[in-house]
Amino acid sequence: MPIPARFSAPLLSLFRAVFGLMFLAHGVSKFFGLPPFPMPLSPLLTAAGVLELGGGALLLIGLFTRPVAFLLAGQMAVAYFTAHAPQGFLPLANGGEAAILYCFAFLYLAAAGGGSIGVDAMRRGD
């Protein structure tokens, strides 16, 4: 039995919040060591951590969802092509599947918006 269409907007909000929380966790790992990040932070990793903390938090609460998601999709594309693709063509072999999934999830959020639950929705009066 398919999920009724009336649940699509709240499920989009849940999708946004879960991806925001998971992305936020990457930034927390880099800056606060929970869990410990396995390497020292270069300037590029520091910039990535700032985007992960800030962007993840904004997505979690649903504020500025479309522009933030678009920026984070770009970050994940850069991460894939700079860190993973040089190690081999196939994402399963080069460890880049998470970067690709985040990239396309963020592109979807940039196009679809944040759903019916979140700060953006409150600001619109939804």
Side-chain angles (χ1 to χ4, degrees), residues 37-61:
F37 193 69
M39 61 185 77
L41 292 181
S42 66
L44 189 59
L45 285 175
T46 300
V50 168
L51 288 172
E52 290 162 358
L53 277 175
L58 288 171
L59 286 183
L60 178 62
I61 66 170

Side-chain angles (χ1 to χ4, degrees), residues 19-45:
F19 268 83
L21 181 61
M22 294 297 96
F23 211 60
L24 177 66
H26 285 272
V28 168
S29 174
K30 284 182 179 69
F31 289 123
F32 303 110
L34 298 169
F37 193 69
M39 61 185 77
L41 292 181
S42 66
L44 189 59
L45 285 175

Side-chain angles (χ1 to χ4, degrees), residues 56-97:
L58 288 171
L59 286 183
L60 178 62
I61 66 170
L63 180 61
F64 307 123
T65 299
R66 289 177 191 264
V68 168
F70 186 75
L71 178 70
L72 297 180
Q75 176 197 359
M76 289 292 90
V78 168
Y80 181 78
F81 287 109
T82 60
H84 299 286
Q87 298 177 28
F89 178 72
L90 297 173
L92 288 175
N94 67 24
E97 65 274 5

